[in-house]
Amino acid sequence: MFEKIRIIKRKKDLVPCQHFFIHLKWHEQTVSFGRYGMGVNSFGPLNQYIDIQEFASQISPYLHDNGSILVYIHGFMAHIGFFEKKVGYILQNQVFNAVEEQYPIILSLKWESEPDYKESIKAAADKSRLLFETLFALQKELSKLNISIAWSWLCHSMGNRIFAQIFTFWLEHKMELKINRVFLLAADVPSDIFSKEFKMLPHFAQKTYVFKSKSDRTLEIANWIVPYDRLGREGLALKDGFSNVYEIDVSDIQDHRGLAPRLLKHRYYYASETIRGYLVKLLKE
């Protein structure tokens, strides 16, 4: 239905940035590795790498002094090329470049979702397993280079479901896991998730930020399709007991740019200058 974006070796207007990606091609059950580039008004895939070893060798030079990696997980259908380029440019230009000192590597998990919303929910666990295995393999490769990774996570919408499954697999395998910050933005997961999949998250993460908005019409529509209280709209079902989990209500923020963000109030993490600025502030803490 949608044309896949082609990864080419070099584009004249793009310069490599410290933003890499893992691309899960679901129907092929494969992952590929690459690096983004940025131009004056452009952003997109620039380089591709043969395997996890080459990928780790490209990332490692930036991590010897600071092993912090910020993982970005997009939401439902956001793997499509034009969205990847548009959102990627805004985030790179307005957020990621501003926190390069704190996070020398940005790692995007590009996962292909089905157009059918219900099917994407069902398939999330299997997709997350392959992403978990890839991330753990990357951590092992970097460990061989005497690099200890501290992971941070920036998750939007259904990307929060992917992260929840990755975190669950990490716990099940009892693998080493160090987490700095977690940002759960417009989370399309149940509001009681901190009594379930995220029950142990406050024990691993230094700080977790839950962004919610009662104005989020996308999550309201999602509730018509699959009814349950969503974390990104209703907030935490359990308000007490988490000294390092912070709920941030952005319902009243109105400076969304773009027709869809203004109407749906769901893509505020890149469409609102106010929220972009607040993300930078929190990432720098």
Side-chain angles (χ1 to χ4, degrees):
M1 182 176 180
F2 297 103
E3 182 181 355
K4 292 183 180 178
I5 187 171
R6 291 190 304 114
I7 300 174
I8 62 176
K9 294 275 185 178
R10 181 71 61 185
K11 290 183 179 179
K12 291 182 179 180
D13 63 329
L14 296 182
V15 175
C17 53
Q18 289 164 217
H19 187 165
F20 295 78
F21 64 87
I22 297 171
H23 182 185
L24 171 59
K25 299 176 182 178
W26 177 240
H27 294 294
E28 301 171 24
Q29 290 283 294
T30 60
V31 293
S32 60
F33 310 95
R35 183 176 190 170
Y36 286 115
M38 188 172 181
V40 176
N41 293 299
S42 57
F43 178 88
L46 180 62
N47 300 115
Q48 58 184 354
Y49 305 114
I50 297 172
D51 53 27
I52 193 73
Q53 289 78 23
E54 184 183 12
F55 190 53
S57 73
Q58 295 295 317
I59 289 175
S60 61
Y62 302 103
L63 295 172
H64 286 293
D65 295 327
N66 178 358
S68 295
I69 295 178
L70 176 61
V71 181
Y72 166 56
I73 312 180
H74 65 72
F76 176 64
M77 295 302 292
H79 64 282
I80 301 169
F82 75 87
F83 191 83
E84 176 189 26
K85 291 178 180 180
K86 176 183 177 180
V87 177
Y89 178 80
I90 296 171
L91 288 177
Q92 189 65 47
N93 189 42
Q94 300 292 324
V95 179
F96 298 150
N97 284 346
V99 298
E100 186 176 301
E101 182 178 348
Q102 291 79 17
Y103 300 94
I105 290 293
I106 308 299
L107 177 59
S108 283
L109 301 188
K110 182 179 175 182
W111 59 282
E112 297 181 358
S113 53
E114 294 79 2
D116 187 295
Y117 176 76
K118 291 182 179 179
E119 289 303 313
S120 281
I121 290 178
K122 292 177 183 178
D126 289 336
K127 293 178 180 180
S128 301
R129 182 179 294 278
L130 189 51
L131 288 170
F132 156 72
E133 292 170 353
T134 306
L135 288 171
F136 183 66
L138 177 61
Q139 181 169 282
K140 287 200 296 184
E141 289 298 322
L142 292 172
S143 179
K144 293 176 186 177
L145 301 172
N146 297 314
I147 295 172
S148 178
I149 298 303
W151 302 95
S152 290
W153 306 81
L154 184 70
C155 314
H156 179 246
S157 196
M158 198 180 286
N160 287 269
R161 186 176 294 273
I162 298 293
F163 170 59
Q165 293 292 337
I166 290 173
F167 181 67
T168 298
F169 292 138
W170 223 299
L171 295 184
E172 288 176 354
H173 287 75
K174 296 181 170 60
M175 304 301 189
E176 179 184 356
L177 177 61
K178 182 180 179 182
I179 300 179
N180 185 3
R181 301 285 194 270
V182 177
F183 296 83
L184 309 177
L185 304 157
D188 190 4
V189 295
S191 61
D192 63 353
I193 195 168
F194 278 85
S195 64
K196 297 177 181 177
E197 293 97 325
F198 284 163
K199 185 175 183 179
M200 295 300 295
L201 183 59
H203 298 279
F204 282 85
Q206 292 185 15
K207 292 184 179 181
T208 298
Y209 300 96
V210 176
F211 282 63
K212 72 169 187 177
S213 173
K214 295 291 284 187
S215 304
D216 192 325
R217 295 189 179 93
T218 296
L219 292 184
E220 182 180 8
I221 294 168
N223 192 58
W224 300 344
I225 303 171
V226 182
Y228 61 82
D229 288 342
R230 283 162 167 77
L231 182 67
R233 185 171 166 85
E234 307 300 329
L236 294 161
L238 298 174
K239 301 293 185 183
D240 301 321
F242 306 115
S243 60
N244 59 345
V245 179
Y246 306 90
E247 188 176 271
I248 301 169
D249 191 341
V250 298
S251 302
D252 295 330
I253 301 297
Q254 298 295 328
D255 64 341
H256 309 76
R257 296 196 64 181
L259 179 60
R262 286 199 303 271
L263 290 174
L264 299 174
K265 303 292 194 298
H266 182 64
R267 304 174 186 176
Y268 49 75
Y269 73 108
Y270 77 86
S272 164
E273 182 179 357
T274 300
I275 295 174
R276 290 197 308 268
Y278 193 43
L279 283 173
V280 170
K281 177 180 180 295
L282 294 175
L283 285 164
K284 284 188 171 184
E285 287 182 351

